[in-house]
Amino acid sequence: MDDLDRAQELEMESRNAAIANQIKKQGKTTLSHCQDCGDAIPLRRQKMGGVNRCVECQTYFEQAQRKFK
Ligand SMILES: [Zn+2]
């Protein structure tokens, strides 16, 4: 009985994680122009989804984030 409960719990957890992931993906906005500098974001990059900065600004942004951690 305990094993069954645990299995159900695990299933719930993975399902919730999958749903949370989906929401995260949908919540990500993709812009045609960089939100920081206004440069056009290459279509190839837009297709990745959730892209809102050009390569340069994204690199800069990620480096800045790393510094804060
Ligand atoms: Zn930019």
Side-chain angles (χ1 to χ4, degrees):
M1 196 58 166
D2 281 349
D3 280 354
L4 191 67
D5 282 351
R6 185 71 193 132
Q8 278 179 337
E9 206 176 288
L10 278 173
E11 203 196 307
M12 282 272 284
E13 270 173 31
S14 64
R15 200 180 297 164
N16 284 345
I19 291 168
N21 247 333
Q22 251 181 357
I23 290 168
K24 227 158 85 179
K25 268 187 206 164
Q26 284 168 351
K28 276 184 173 177
T29 47
T30 302
L31 303 176
S32 56
H33 290 76
C34 176
Q35 68 175 19
D36 285 357
C37 71
D39 270 7
I41 296 168
L43 272 177
R44 211 178 47 176
R45 192 164 156 71
Q46 287 181 40
K47 277 180 190 161
M48 286 162 58
V51 179
N52 45 30
R53 284 181 183 87
C54 67
V55 181
E56 255 179 77
C57 292
Q58 184 63 37
T59 305
Y60 183 77
F61 175 74
E62 279 171 15
Q63 277 173 353
Q65 264 193 332
R66 229 171 279 155
K67 273 181 203 166
F68 283 118
K69 273 175 190 170

